[in-house]
Amino acid sequence: MKHIVIDARESGTSTGRYIDKLIEYLAKEKPAYKVTVLTAPKRVDFIESIAPKFLTVVSPVKEFTFSEQTRLLEQIKKLKPDLVHFGMTQQPILYRGKTITTVHDLTTARFKNPAKNPLVFWVKQKVYRVVIKIVARKSETIITPSEYVKDDLAKFAKINSRKIEVTYESADKITEASEAIEELVDKQFLLYVGRPQPHKNLDRLIEAFVSLQQKHPDLHLVLAGKKDALYWQLEKHVKNQKLENVIFTDFVSEGQLKWLYENTACYVFPSLSEGFGLPALEAMVHGAPVASSNATCLPEIYKDSAEYFSPTDIDSMTTAIEKILTNKNLSDKLRERGKKLAASYSWQRMAKKTLEIYKSTLD
């Protein structure tokens, strides 16, 4: 029986949603292979719960570390796999067995992270760019979550796009009961959910919100996500500018997140760069009308189910949101289209196609 190793060290993170869902739905396909999953110590119980027939092995090796090139390399070699699926670009570049790599996007190669030490991040980014090209060339197959990333990677790494396969991701409806956030009950609010990295473009979203307040003084902007250094910086900026009605929720429960999606007047996704754009698709699942950036893959993924704007143009962003706030017919249409669109994506279909990629690679 052929042996497949899946690198799931990112399980439990925002990027790790992909690998978690892949493992969950691959297990339902009952593959005719021995499957071993490498994951962090704190995620072992979770992986075993979604894929009890797979062997789960602890791998405490963190990404972007020297140990990734040494300890992880030795760990994989000892497992003697016929195929390794790396769920992210970061991996031992000296491993010479058959590999498949999922490349989610090239954001890390192109954008800075002001929360990190500038010099250290500059060095890591340079290394990362080299690693992407090495990985793209040595992998038997590359998996990307959109046609946009497929084309972008082929040009960046100078590889034939025929070795790249697209497997679209999906979004799940939250099963927990809605839990209202008291300070927002009966209030009209815009919503963004996620991290505040520079490519998420939240500074321009705040500028657009300030502009919208001229016509909608009671409007609120809700930025939902666990507070980190970048969120603290953003919140400090809002306070220094004495901006009103901007709410930083910090961590929200699944029930609270569901309520936010269900009650927002408009979910705004101002990102400059995405590989798939899962957050706005999750908003659509719950019936939120979406105003989205027209950058990178987003029009490919959202099709006619969002009102688009240029993410670098404040007036364009403001106009798109204003349309949704003031045009009920448009808002209702986007809600319905969004639900249908979200239902057209499937984690099970993604897992089936990935299994086909495994088979063709092993054959």
Side-chain angles (χ1 to χ4, degrees), residues 32-166:
Y33 304 111
K34 176 184 176 183
V35 179
T36 299
V37 179
L38 296 177
T39 196
K42 64 181 179 180
R43 297 297 289 179
V44 169
D45 289 345
F46 172 79
I47 297 296
E48 289 180 342
S49 72
I50 61 172
K53 296 293 178 68
F54 294 174
L55 175 64
T56 305
V57 174
V58 173
S59 182
V61 180
K62 293 184 178 180
E63 61 183 84
F64 287 119
T65 61
F66 185 69
S67 291
E68 194 170 49
Q69 303 303 320
T70 54
R71 286 177 60 196
L72 183 61
L73 176 63
E74 289 306 310
Q75 185 176 31
I76 291 172
K77 282 182 177 179
K78 287 178 181 177
L79 291 170
K80 297 180 180 178
D82 296 290
L83 176 66
V84 182
H85 182 182
F86 292 102
M88 54 185 171
T89 307
Q90 301 87 277
Q91 59 188 263
I93 58 175
L94 294 179
Y95 181 70
R96 288 295 175 258
K98 279 190 175 183
T99 61
I100 290 171
T101 302
T102 298
V103 177
H104 298 279
D105 54 51
L106 297 180
T107 300
T108 303
R110 292 190 172 127
F111 290 86
K112 295 179 181 179
N113 187 338
K116 305 291 185 181
N117 178 290
L119 180 59
V120 172
F121 185 80
W122 180 82
V123 171
K124 283 189 174 183
Q125 190 175 58
K126 290 289 185 185
V127 172
Y128 183 73
R129 288 171 179 164
V130 173
V131 170
I132 289 175
K133 293 177 181 179
I134 293 172
V135 166
R137 290 165 188 170
K138 80 181 185 68
S139 297
E140 299 285 329
T141 306
I142 301 288
I143 295 174
T144 65
S146 63
E147 292 288 343
Y148 175 85
V149 178
K150 174 180 177 176
D151 295 340
D152 195 27
L153 178 63
K155 292 173 185 174
F156 182 84
K158 294 181 173 60
I159 60 172
N160 194 318
S161 62
R162 285 181 292 184
K163 74 180 293 186
I164 306 174
E165 296 283 350
V166 176

Side-chain angles (χ1 to χ4, degrees), residues 217-280:
D218 295 326
L219 185 66
H220 289 64
L221 172 62
V222 178
L223 303 176
K226 186 177 180 180
K227 288 185 182 180
D228 58 12
L230 291 177
Y231 257 136
W232 285 116
Q233 288 177 20
L234 200 60
E235 189 170 19
K236 184 178 179 181
H237 168 74
V238 167
K239 287 180 179 177
N240 289 341
Q241 296 296 312
K242 297 181 180 179
L243 305 181
E244 296 183 351
N245 295 353
V246 180
I247 297 174
F248 295 82
T249 66
D250 204 351
F251 174 81
V252 293
S253 68
E254 287 289 285
Q256 290 173 323
L257 180 58
K258 185 178 183 179
W259 185 88
L260 287 170
Y261 283 145
E262 291 174 340
N263 289 276
T264 184
C266 177
Y267 183 90
V268 189
F269 201 46
S271 189
L272 298 169
S273 176
E274 293 292 329
F276 181 74
L278 192 55

